[in-house]
Amino acid sequence: MKDRKQAALQRLARVEGQVRGIGRMIEEDRYCIDVINQVMAIRSALSQVEILILQDHADNCVQDAITSGDPEEQRMKFKELISVFEKVCR
């Protein structure tokens, strides 16, 4: 997780700067398409953060549930993953 955590934090710091930049762009009445392109870039960066966190969840939480041998815990973690994937796919 350490590498993924650092990568996620770096992406979020970039997103934070991009959001501030969009605010300035709007204040300066910048071209709408340029603003939209920046919004799309933020959306893409946040998707990458989601992927990093999901990978970590699968490698740790889900793996722990699988190796625990507890069927209820395994079902719960599997349902969580399905629920998140459903939301991401919308």
Side-chain angles (χ1 to χ4, degrees):
M1 168 61 178
K2 192 173 188 177
D3 292 337
R4 287 188 190 131
K5 180 178 180 178
Q6 190 61 36
L9 290 171
Q10 288 172 344
R11 286 181 188 273
L12 288 171
R14 259 185 259 129
V15 167
E16 183 179 7
Q18 287 175 300
V19 170
R20 283 193 303 271
I22 289 173
R24 285 189 301 274
M25 290 174 79
I26 292 171
E27 288 173 352
E28 297 168 359
D29 292 322
R30 298 279 295 274
Y31 187 56
C32 298
I33 298 303
D34 292 341
V35 176
I36 290 170
N37 284 333
Q38 289 303 309
V39 170
M40 289 188 298
I42 290 170
R43 187 177 300 135
S44 176
L46 287 174
S47 291
Q48 293 303 310
V49 171
E50 285 177 344
I51 289 168
L52 290 168
I53 294 169
L54 275 172
Q55 287 172 332
D56 190 63
H57 180 68
D59 287 349
N60 293 298
C61 302
V62 175
Q63 184 175 340
D64 289 347
I66 291 168
T67 58
S68 75
D70 180 354
E72 185 58 35
E73 181 73 11
Q74 293 167 348
R75 274 191 289 280
M76 185 179 77
K77 294 299 177 191
F78 183 74
K79 286 179 183 180
E80 284 176 346
L81 274 179
I82 296 301
S83 176
V84 168
F85 282 125
E86 286 174 344
K87 291 174 187 173
V88 168
C89 290
R90 290 184 198 158

Coordinates of all heavy atoms in Angstrom, one line a residue:
M1 N 0.8 -1.2 0.0 CA 0.0 0.0 0.0 C 0.9 1.3 0.0 O 0.4 2.3 -0.5 CB -1.0 0.0 1.2 CG -1.7 1.3 1.5 SD -2.7 1.8 0.2 CE -3.4 3.3 0.8
K2 N 2.0 1.2 0.6 CA 2.9 2.4 0.7 C 3.0 3.1 -0.6 O 2.8 4.3 -0.7 CB 4.2 2.0 1.3 CG 5.0 3.2 1.8 CD 6.2 2.8 2.5 CE 6.9 4.0 3.1 NZ 8.1 3.6 3.9
D3 N 3.4 2.4 -1.7 CA 3.6 3.0 -3.0 C 2.2 3.5 -3.5 O 2.2 4.6 -4.1 CB 4.1 2.0 -4.0 CG 5.6 1.6 -3.7 OD1 6.3 2.4 -3.0 OD2 6.0 0.5 -4.1
R4 N 1.2 2.7 -3.4 CA -0.1 3.2 -3.8 C -0.6 4.4 -3.1 O -1.2 5.3 -3.6 CB -1.2 2.1 -3.7 CG -1.0 1.0 -4.8 CD -2.1 0.0 -4.8 NE -1.8 -1.1 -5.6 CZ -2.0 -2.4 -5.2 NH1 -2.4 -2.7 -4.0 NH2 -1.7 -3.4 -6.0
K5 N -0.4 4.4 -1.8 CA -0.8 5.5 -0.9 C -0.1 6.8 -1.4 O -0.7 7.8 -1.5 CB -0.4 5.2 0.5 CG -0.8 6.3 1.5 CD -0.5 5.9 2.9 CE -0.9 7.0 3.9 NZ -0.6 6.6 5.3
Q6 N 1.2 6.7 -1.6 CA 2.0 7.8 -2.1 C 1.5 8.3 -3.4 O 1.3 9.5 -3.7 CB 3.5 7.5 -2.1 CG 4.3 8.7 -2.3 CD 4.2 9.8 -1.2 OE1 4.0 9.4 -0.1 NE2 4.3 11.0 -1.6
A7 N 1.2 7.4 -4.3 CA 0.7 7.7 -5.7 C -0.6 8.4 -5.6 O -0.9 9.4 -6.3 CB 0.6 6.5 -6.5
A8 N -1.5 7.9 -4.7 CA -2.8 8.5 -4.5 C -2.7 9.9 -4.0 O -3.4 10.8 -4.4 CB -3.7 7.6 -3.6
L9 N -1.9 10.1 -3.0 CA -1.7 11.4 -2.4 C -1.1 12.4 -3.4 O -1.6 13.5 -3.4 CB -0.8 11.3 -1.1 CG -1.4 10.6 0.1 CD1 -0.4 10.4 1.2 CD2 -2.6 11.4 0.6
Q10 N -0.2 11.9 -4.2 CA 0.3 12.8 -5.2 C -0.7 13.2 -6.3 O -0.8 14.4 -6.6 CB 1.5 12.2 -6.0 CG 2.7 12.1 -5.1 CD 3.8 11.2 -5.7 OE1 3.6 10.5 -6.7 NE2 5.1 11.4 -5.2
R11 N -1.5 12.3 -6.7 CA -2.6 12.6 -7.6 C -3.6 13.5 -7.0 O -4.1 14.5 -7.7 CB -3.3 11.3 -8.1 CG -2.5 10.5 -9.0 CD -3.3 9.2 -9.5 NE -2.5 8.3 -10.2 CZ -2.3 8.4 -11.5 NH1 -2.9 9.3 -12.2 NH2 -1.5 7.5 -12.1
L12 N -4.0 13.3 -5.8 CA -4.9 14.2 -5.1 C -4.4 15.6 -4.9 O -5.1 16.6 -5.1 CB -5.3 13.6 -3.7 CG -6.2 12.4 -3.8 CD1 -6.4 11.8 -2.4 CD2 -7.6 12.7 -4.4
A13 N -3.1 15.7 -4.7 CA -2.5 17.1 -4.6 C -2.5 17.8 -6.0 O -2.8 19.0 -6.0 CB -1.0 17.0 -4.1
R14 N -2.3 17.0 -7.0 CA -2.4 17.6 -8.4 C -3.9 18.0 -8.6 O -4.1 19.1 -9.2 CB -2.0 16.6 -9.4 CG -0.6 16.9 -9.9 CD -0.2 16.0 -11.1 NE 0.6 14.9 -10.5 CZ 0.5 13.6 -10.6 NH1 -0.5 13.2 -11.4 NH2 1.3 12.8 -10.1
V15 N -4.8 17.2 -8.3 CA -6.2 17.5 -8.5 C -6.6 18.8 -7.7 O -7.3 19.6 -8.2 CB -7.1 16.3 -8.0 CG1 -8.6 16.7 -7.9 CG2 -7.0 15.1 -9.0
E16 N -6.1 18.9 -6.5 CA -6.4 20.1 -5.7 C -5.9 21.3 -6.4 O -6.6 22.3 -6.5 CB -5.7 19.9 -4.3 CG -5.9 21.1 -3.4 CD -5.2 20.9 -2.0 OE1 -4.4 19.9 -1.9 OE2 -5.5 21.7 -1.1
G17 N -4.7 21.3 -7.0 CA -4.2 22.4 -7.7 C -5.0 22.7 -9.0 O -5.3 23.8 -9.3
Q18 N -5.5 21.6 -9.6 CA -6.3 21.8 -10.8 C -7.6 22.4 -10.5 O -8.1 23.3 -11.2 CB -6.5 20.4 -11.5 CG -5.3 19.9 -12.2 CD -5.6 18.5 -12.8 OE1 -5.9 17.5 -12.0 NE2 -5.5 18.3 -14.1
V19 N -8.2 22.0 -9.4 CA -9.5 22.6 -9.0 C -9.3 24.1 -8.7 O -10.2 24.9 -9.2 CB -10.1 21.9 -7.7 CG1 -11.3 22.6 -7.2 CG2 -10.5 20.4 -8.1
R20 N -8.3 24.5 -8.0 CA -8.0 25.9 -7.8 C -7.8 26.6 -9.1 O -8.3 27.7 -9.3 CB -6.8 26.1 -6.9 CG -7.1 25.8 -5.4 CD -6.0 26.3 -4.5 NE -4.7 25.8 -4.8 CZ -4.2 24.6 -4.3 NH1 -4.9 24.0 -3.5 NH2 -3.0 24.2 -4.7
G21 N -7.1 26.0 -10.1 CA -6.9 26.5 -11.4 C -8.2 26.7 -12.1 O -8.4 27.8 -12.8
I22 N -9.1 25.8 -12.0 CA -10.4 26.0 -12.7 C -11.2 27.1 -12.1 O -11.8 27.9 -12.8 CB -11.2 24.7 -12.6 CG1 -10.6 23.6 -13.5 CG2 -12.7 24.9 -13.0 CD1 -11.3 22.2 -13.3
G23 N -11.1 27.3 -10.8 CA -11.7 28.5 -10.1 C -11.2 29.8 -10.7 O -12.0 30.7 -11.0
R24 N -9.9 29.8 -10.9 CA -9.3 31.0 -11.5 C -9.7 31.2 -12.9 O -10.0 32.3 -13.4 CB -7.7 31.0 -11.4 CG -7.2 31.2 -10.0 CD -5.7 31.4 -10.0 NE -5.0 30.2 -10.5 CZ -4.6 29.1 -9.8 NH1 -4.9 29.1 -8.5 NH2 -4.0 28.1 -10.3
M25 N -9.8 30.1 -13.7 CA -10.2 30.2 -15.1 C -11.6 30.7 -15.2 O -11.9 31.6 -16.0 CB -10.1 28.8 -15.7 CG -8.7 28.3 -15.9 SD -8.8 26.6 -16.5 CE -9.1 26.8 -18.3
I26 N -12.5 30.3 -14.3 CA -13.9 30.8 -14.3 C -13.9 32.3 -13.9 O -14.6 33.1 -14.6 CB -14.8 29.9 -13.4 CG1 -14.9 28.5 -14.0 CG2 -16.1 30.6 -13.2 CD1 -15.6 27.5 -13.1
E27 N -13.2 32.6 -12.9 CA -13.1 34.0 -12.5 C -12.6 34.9 -13.6 O -13.0 36.1 -13.8 CB -12.2 34.2 -11.3 CG -12.8 33.7 -10.0 CD -11.8 33.7 -8.8 OE1 -10.6 34.0 -9.1 OE2 -12.2 33.4 -7.7
E28 N -11.7 34.4 -14.4 CA -11.1 35.2 -15.5 C -11.9 35.0 -16.8 O -11.5 35.5 -17.9 CB -9.7 34.7 -15.8 CG -8.7 34.9 -14.6 CD -7.4 34.2 -14.7 OE1 -7.2 33.4 -15.8 OE2 -6.6 34.3 -13.8
D29 N -13.0 34.4 -16.8 CA -13.9 34.2 -17.9 C -13.2 33.5 -19.1 O -13.3 33.9 -20.2 CB -14.5 35.5 -18.4 CG -15.5 36.1 -17.4 OD1 -16.3 35.3 -16.8 OD2 -15.5 37.3 -17.2
R30 N -12.4 32.5 -18.8 CA -11.7 31.8 -19.8 C -12.6 31.0 -20.7 O -13.8 30.7 -20.3 CB -10.7 30.8 -19.1 CG -9.6 31.5 -18.3 CD -8.4 32.0 -19.1 NE -7.7 30.9 -19.7 CZ -6.7 30.3 -19.2 NH1 -6.3 30.5 -17.9 NH2 -6.1 29.3 -19.9
Y31 N -12.1 30.6 -21.8 CA -12.9 29.9 -22.8 C -13.5 28.6 -22.2 O -12.8 27.8 -21.6 CB -12.0 29.5 -24.0 CG -12.7 29.0 -25.2 CD1 -13.8 29.6 -25.8 CD2 -12.3 27.7 -25.7 CE1 -14.4 29.1 -26.9 CE2 -12.9 27.2 -26.8 CZ -14.0 27.9 -27.4 OH -14.6 27.3 -28.5
C32 N -14.8 28.5 -22.4 CA -15.6 27.4 -21.8 C -15.0 26.0 -22.1 O -14.9 25.1 -21.2 CB -17.0 27.4 -22.2 SG -17.9 28.9 -21.8
I33 N -14.6 25.8 -23.3 CA -14.0 24.4 -23.7 C -12.7 24.2 -22.9 O -12.5 23.0 -22.5 CB -13.8 24.3 -25.2 CG1 -15.2 24.5 -25.9 CG2 -13.2 23.0 -25.6 CD1 -16.3 23.5 -25.5
D34 N -11.9 25.2 -22.7 CA -10.7 25.0 -21.9 C -11.0 24.6 -20.5 O -10.4 23.7 -19.9 CB -9.9 26.3 -21.9 CG -9.3 26.6 -23.3 OD1 -9.2 25.7 -24.1 OD2 -8.9 27.8 -23.5
V35 N -12.1 25.2 -19.9 CA -12.5 24.9 -18.5 C -13.0 23.5 -18.5 O -12.6 22.7 -17.6 CB -13.6 25.9 -18.0 CG1 -14.1 25.5 -16.7 CG2 -13.0 27.3 -18.0
I36 N -13.8 23.1 -19.5 CA -14.4 21.7 -19.5 C -13.3 20.7 -19.6 O -13.3 19.6 -19.0 CB -15.4 21.6 -20.6 CG1 -16.7 22.4 -20.3 CG2 -15.7 20.1 -20.9 CD1 -17.7 22.5 -21.4
N37 N -12.3 21.0 -20.5 CA -11.1 20.1 -20.6 C -10.4 19.9 -19.3 O -10.0 18.8 -19.0 CB -10.1 20.6 -21.7 CG -10.6 20.4 -23.1 OD1 -11.4 19.5 -23.3 ND2 -10.2 21.3 -24.0
Q38 N -10.3 20.9 -18.5 CA -9.7 20.8 -17.2 C -10.5 20.0 -16.2 O -10.0 19.1 -15.4 CB -9.4 22.1 -16.6 CG -8.2 22.9 -17.3 CD -7.0 22.0 -17.3 OE1 -6.5 21.6 -16.2 NE2 -6.4 21.9 -18.4
V39 N -11.8 20.1 -16.3 CA -12.8 19.3 -15.5 C -12.6 17.9 -15.8 O -12.6 17.0 -15.0 CB -14.2 19.8 -15.6 CG1 -15.2 18.9 -14.9 CG2 -14.4 21.2 -15.0
M40 N -12.5 17.6 -17.1 CA -12.4 16.2 -17.6 C -11.1 15.6 -17.1 O -11.0 14.4 -16.7 CB -12.5 16.1 -19.1 CG -13.9 16.3 -19.6 SD -14.2 16.0 -21.3 CE -13.1 17.2 -22.1
A41 N -10.0 16.4 -17.1 CA -8.7 15.9 -16.6 C -8.8 15.6 -15.1 O -8.3 14.6 -14.7 CB -7.7 17.0 -16.8
I42 N -9.6 16.4 -14.3 CA -9.8 16.1 -12.9 C -10.5 14.8 -12.7 O -10.2 14.0 -11.9 CB -10.5 17.3 -12.2 CG1 -9.5 18.5 -12.1 CG2 -11.0 16.8 -10.8 CD1 -10.2 19.7 -11.7
R43 N -11.6 14.6 -13.5 CA -12.4 13.4 -13.4 C -11.5 12.2 -13.7 O -11.5 11.2 -13.0 CB -13.5 13.5 -14.4 CG -14.5 12.3 -14.3 CD -15.7 12.4 -15.2 NE -16.4 13.6 -14.9 CZ -16.9 14.4 -15.8 NH1 -16.7 14.2 -17.1 NH2 -17.6 15.5 -15.5
S44 N -10.6 12.3 -14.7 CA -9.7 11.2 -15.0 C -8.7 10.9 -13.9 O -8.5 9.7 -13.5 CB -9.0 11.5 -16.3 OG -8.0 10.5 -16.6
A45 N -8.2 11.9 -13.3 CA -7.2 11.8 -12.2 C -7.9 11.1 -11.0 O -7.3 10.3 -10.3 CB -6.6 13.1 -11.8
L46 N -9.2 11.5 -10.7 CA -9.9 10.9 -9.6 C -10.2 9.4 -9.9 O -10.2 8.6 -9.0 CB -11.2 11.7 -9.3 CG -11.0 13.1 -8.7 CD1 -12.3 13.8 -8.6 CD2 -10.3 12.9 -7.3
S47 N -10.4 9.1 -11.1 CA -10.7 7.7 -11.5 C -9.4 6.9 -11.2 O -9.5 5.7 -10.7 CB -11.0 7.6 -13.0 OG -12.3 8.1 -13.2
Q48 N -8.3 7.5 -11.5 CA -7.0 6.8 -11.2 C -6.8 6.6 -9.7 O -6.3 5.5 -9.2 CB -5.8 7.5 -11.8 CG -5.8 7.5 -13.3 CD -5.8 6.1 -13.9 OE1 -5.0 5.3 -13.5 NE2 -6.7 5.9 -14.8
V49 N -7.2 7.5 -8.9 CA -7.2 7.4 -7.4 C -8.1 6.3 -7.0 O -7.7 5.4 -6.1 CB -7.5 8.7 -6.7 CG1 -7.7 8.5 -5.2 CG2 -6.5 9.8 -7.0
E50 N -9.3 6.2 -7.6 CA -10.2 5.1 -7.3 C -9.6 3.8 -7.5 O -9.7 2.8 -6.7 CB -11.5 5.2 -8.1 CG -12.5 6.3 -7.7 CD -13.7 6.3 -8.6 OE1 -13.6 5.8 -9.8 OE2 -14.7 6.9 -8.3
I51 N -8.9 3.7 -8.7 CA -8.3 2.4 -9.1 C -7.2 2.0 -8.0 O -7.1 0.8 -7.6 CB -7.7 2.5 -10.5 CG1 -8.9 2.5 -11.5 CG2 -6.8 1.3 -10.8 CD1 -8.4 2.9 -12.9
L52 N -6.4 2.9 -7.6 CA -5.3 2.7 -6.7 C -5.9 2.1 -5.4 O -5.4 1.2 -4.8 CB -4.5 3.9 -6.4 CG -3.6 4.4 -7.5 CD1 -3.0 5.8 -7.3 CD2 -2.5 3.4 -7.8
I53 N -7.0 2.8 -4.9 CA -7.6 2.4 -3.6 C -8.3 1.0 -3.8 O -8.2 0.2 -2.9 CB -8.6 3.5 -3.2 CG1 -7.8 4.8 -2.8 CG2 -9.4 3.0 -1.9 CD1 -8.7 6.0 -2.6
L54 N -9.0 0.8 -4.9 CA -9.6 -0.5 -5.1 C -8.5 -1.6 -5.2 O -8.8 -2.7 -4.6 CB -10.4 -0.5 -6.4 CG -11.8 0.0 -6.3 CD1 -12.4 0.1 -7.7 CD2 -12.7 -0.9 -5.4
Q55 N -7.4 -1.4 -5.8 CA -6.3 -2.4 -5.9 C -5.8 -2.7 -4.5 O -5.6 -3.9 -4.1 CB -5.2 -1.9 -6.7 CG -5.5 -1.8 -8.2 CD -4.4 -1.2 -9.0 OE1 -3.7 -0.3 -8.5 NE2 -4.2 -1.6 -10.2
D56 N -5.7 -1.7 -3.7 CA -5.2 -1.9 -2.3 C -6.3 -2.7 -1.5 O -5.9 -3.6 -0.7 CB -4.9 -0.6 -1.6 CG -4.2 -0.8 -0.3 OD1 -3.1 -1.3 -0.3 OD2 -4.8 -0.4 0.7
H57 N -7.5 -2.3 -1.7 CA -8.6 -3.0 -1.0 C -8.6 -4.5 -1.4 O -8.7 -5.4 -0.5 CB -9.9 -2.4 -1.3 CG -11.1 -3.0 -0.6 ND1 -11.3 -3.0 0.7 CD2 -12.1 -3.8 -1.1 CE1 -12.4 -3.6 1.1 NE2 -12.9 -4.1 -0.1
A58 N -8.4 -4.8 -2.6 CA -8.4 -6.2 -3.1 C -7.2 -6.9 -2.5 O -7.3 -8.1 -2.1 CB -8.4 -6.3 -4.6
D59 N -6.1 -6.3 -2.6 CA -4.8 -6.9 -2.1 C -4.8 -7.1 -0.6 O -4.0 -7.9 -0.1 CB -3.6 -6.1 -2.5 CG -3.3 -6.2 -4.0 OD1 -3.9 -7.0 -4.7 OD2 -2.5 -5.4 -4.5
N60 N -5.5 -6.3 0.1 CA -5.4 -6.4 1.6 C -6.7 -6.9 2.2 O -6.8 -8.0 2.7 CB -5.0 -5.1 2.2 CG -3.6 -4.7 1.8 OD1 -2.7 -5.4 2.2 ND2 -3.5 -3.6 1.1
C61 N -7.8 -6.1 2.1 CA -9.0 -6.4 2.8 C -9.7 -7.7 2.3 O -10.1 -8.6 3.0 CB -10.0 -5.3 2.8 SG -9.3 -3.8 3.5
V62 N -9.8 -7.8 0.9 CA -10.4 -8.9 0.3 C -9.6 -10.2 0.5 O -10.1 -11.2 0.9 CB -10.7 -8.7 -1.2 CG1 -11.3 -9.9 -1.8 CG2 -11.7 -7.5 -1.3
Q63 N -8.3 -10.0 0.3 CA -7.4 -11.1 0.5 C -7.4 -11.7 1.9 O -7.4 -12.9 2.2 CB -5.9 -10.8 0.1 CG -5.0 -11.9 0.2 CD -3.6 -11.5 -0.2 OE1 -3.4 -10.6 -1.0 NE2 -2.6 -12.3 0.2
D64 N -7.5 -10.7 2.9 CA -7.6 -11.2 4.3 C -8.9 -11.9 4.5 O -8.9 -12.9 5.3 CB -7.5 -9.9 5.2 CG -6.2 -9.3 5.3 OD1 -5.2 -9.9 4.8 OD2 -6.1 -8.2 5.8
A65 N -10.0 -11.5 3.9 CA -11.2 -12.2 4.1 C -11.2 -13.6 3.5 O -11.7 -14.6 4.1 CB -12.4 -11.4 3.4
I66 N -10.5 -13.7 2.3 CA -10.4 -15.0 1.7 C -9.6 -16.0 2.6 O -10.0 -17.1 2.8 CB -9.7 -14.9 0.3 CG1 -10.7 -14.1 -0.6 CG2 -9.3 -16.2 -0.3 CD1 -10.1 -13.7 -1.9
T67 N -8.4 -15.5 3.1 CA -7.6 -16.4 3.9 C -8.1 -16.6 5.3 O -7.7 -17.6 5.9 CB -6.2 -15.8 4.0 OG1 -6.2 -14.5 4.6 CG2 -5.5 -15.7 2.6
S68 N -9.1 -15.8 5.7 CA -9.7 -16.0 7.0 C -10.5 -17.3 7.1 O -10.6 -17.9 8.2 CB -10.6 -14.8 7.4 OG -11.8 -14.9 6.7
G69 N -11.0 -17.7 6.0 CA -11.8 -18.9 6.0 C -13.2 -18.7 6.5 O -14.0 -19.6 6.6
D70 N -13.6 -17.4 6.8 CA -14.9 -17.1 7.3 C -15.8 -16.8 6.2 O -15.7 -15.7 5.5 CB -14.8 -15.9 8.2 CG -16.1 -15.4 8.8 OD1 -17.1 -15.9 8.5 OD2 -16.0 -14.5 9.7
P71 N -16.7 -17.7 5.8 CA -17.6 -17.5 4.7 C -18.4 -16.1 4.7 O -18.6 -15.5 3.7 CB -18.6 -18.7 4.7 CG -17.9 -19.7 5.6 CD -17.0 -18.9 6.5
E72 N -18.8 -15.7 5.9 CA -19.6 -14.5 6.0 C -18.7 -13.3 5.7 O -19.2 -12.4 5.0 CB -20.2 -14.4 7.5 CG -21.1 -13.2 7.6 CD -22.3 -13.2 6.7 OE1 -22.8 -14.3 6.4 OE2 -22.7 -12.1 6.3
E73 N -17.5 -13.3 6.2 CA -16.6 -12.2 5.9 C -16.3 -12.2 4.4 O -16.2 -11.1 3.8 CB -15.3 -12.4 6.7 CG -14.3 -11.3 6.5 CD -14.6 -10.0 7.1 OE1 -15.6 -9.9 7.9 OE2 -13.9 -9.0 6.8
Q74 N -16.1 -13.3 3.8 CA -15.8 -13.4 2.4 C -17.0 -12.9 1.6 O -16.8 -12.1 0.6 CB -15.5 -14.9 2.0 CG -14.3 -15.4 2.6 CD -14.2 -16.9 2.5 OE1 -15.1 -17.6 2.2 NE2 -13.0 -17.5 2.8
R75 N -18.2 -13.3 1.9 CA -19.4 -12.8 1.2 C -19.5 -11.2 1.4 O -19.8 -10.5 0.4 CB -20.7 -13.4 1.8 CG -21.0 -14.7 1.1 CD -22.4 -15.2 1.5 NE -22.5 -15.7 2.9 CZ -22.1 -16.8 3.3 NH1 -21.6 -17.7 2.5 NH2 -22.2 -17.1 4.6
M76 N -19.3 -10.7 2.6 CA -19.4 -9.3 2.8 C -18.4 -8.5 1.9 O -18.7 -7.5 1.3 CB -19.1 -9.0 4.3 CG -19.4 -7.5 4.6 SD -19.1 -7.1 6.4 CE -17.4 -7.1 6.4
K77 N -17.1 -8.9 1.9 CA -16.1 -8.3 1.1 C -16.4 -8.4 -0.4 O -16.2 -7.4 -1.1 CB -14.7 -8.8 1.4 CG -14.2 -8.6 2.8 CD -14.1 -7.1 3.1 CE -13.7 -6.8 4.5 NZ -13.8 -5.5 4.9
F78 N -16.9 -9.5 -0.8 CA -17.3 -9.7 -2.2 C -18.5 -8.7 -2.6 O -18.4 -8.0 -3.6 CB -17.7 -11.1 -2.5 CG -18.0 -11.4 -4.0 CD1 -17.0 -11.4 -4.9 CD2 -19.3 -11.5 -4.4 CE1 -17.3 -11.6 -6.2 CE2 -19.6 -11.7 -5.7 CZ -18.6 -11.8 -6.6
K79 N -19.5 -8.6 -1.7 CA -20.6 -7.7 -2.0 C -20.1 -6.3 -2.0 O -20.6 -5.5 -2.8 CB -21.7 -7.9 -0.9 CG -22.5 -9.2 -1.0 CD -23.5 -9.3 0.1 CE -24.2 -10.6 -0.1 NZ -25.2 -10.8 1.0
E80 N -19.2 -5.9 -1.1 CA -18.6 -4.6 -1.1 C -18.0 -4.2 -2.5 O -18.2 -3.2 -3.1 CB -17.6 -4.4 -0.1 CG -18.1 -4.2 1.3 CD -16.9 -4.2 2.3 OE1 -15.8 -4.5 2.0 OE2 -17.3 -3.8 3.5
L81 N -17.2 -5.2 -3.0 CA -16.5 -5.0 -4.3 C -17.6 -4.8 -5.4 O -17.4 -3.9 -6.2 CB -15.6 -6.1 -4.6 CG -14.2 -6.1 -4.0 CD1 -13.4 -7.3 -4.4 CD2 -13.5 -4.8 -4.5
I82 N -18.6 -5.7 -5.4 CA -19.6 -5.6 -6.5 C -20.3 -4.3 -6.4 O -20.5 -3.6 -7.4 CB -20.6 -6.8 -6.3 CG1 -19.9 -8.1 -6.6 CG2 -21.8 -6.6 -7.3 CD1 -19.2 -8.2 -7.9
S83 N -20.6 -3.8 -5.2 CA -21.3 -2.6 -5.0 C -20.5 -1.4 -5.5 O -21.0 -0.5 -6.2 CB -21.6 -2.4 -3.5 OG -22.2 -1.1 -3.3
V84 N -19.2 -1.4 -5.2 CA -18.3 -0.3 -5.7 C -18.2 -0.4 -7.2 O -18.3 0.7 -7.9 CB -16.9 -0.4 -5.0 CG1 -15.9 0.5 -5.7 CG2 -17.0 -0.1 -3.6
F85 N -18.0 -1.5 -7.8 CA -18.0 -1.7 -9.2 C -19.2 -1.2 -9.9 O -19.2 -0.5 -11.0 CB -17.6 -3.1 -9.7 CG -16.2 -3.5 -9.5 CD1 -15.8 -4.6 -8.8 CD2 -15.2 -2.7 -10.1 CE1 -14.5 -4.9 -8.6 CE2 -13.8 -3.0 -9.9 CZ -13.5 -4.2 -9.2
E86 N -20.4 -1.5 -9.3 CA -21.6 -1.0 -9.9 C -21.7 0.6 -9.9 O -22.1 1.2 -10.9 CB -22.8 -1.5 -9.1 CG -23.1 -3.0 -9.3 CD -24.2 -3.5 -8.4 OE1 -24.5 -2.8 -7.4 OE2 -24.7 -4.6 -8.7
K87 N -21.2 1.2 -8.8 CA -21.2 2.6 -8.8 C -20.2 3.2 -9.7 O -20.5 4.3 -10.4 CB -20.9 3.1 -7.3 CG -22.0 2.8 -6.4 CD -21.5 3.1 -4.9 CE -22.6 2.7 -3.9 NZ -22.1 2.8 -2.6
V88 N -19.0 2.6 -9.9 CA -18.0 3.1 -10.8 C -18.5 3.0 -12.2 O -18.2 3.9 -13.0 CB -16.7 2.4 -10.6 CG1 -15.7 2.7 -11.7 CG2 -16.1 2.7 -9.2
C89 N -19.2 2.0 -12.5 CA -19.7 1.8 -13.9 C -20.8 2.7 -14.3 O -21.1 2.7 -15.5 CB -20.1 0.3 -14.1 SG -18.6 -0.8 -14.0
R90 N -21.4 3.4 -13.4 CA -22.5 4.2 -13.8 C -22.1 5.5 -14.5 O -21.2 6.0 -14.5 CB -23.3 4.6 -12.5 CG -24.1 3.5 -12.0 CD -24.9 3.9 -10.8 NE -25.3 2.7 -10.1 CZ -25.7 2.8 -8.8 NH1 -25.7 3.9 -8.1 NH2 -26.0 1.6 -8.2

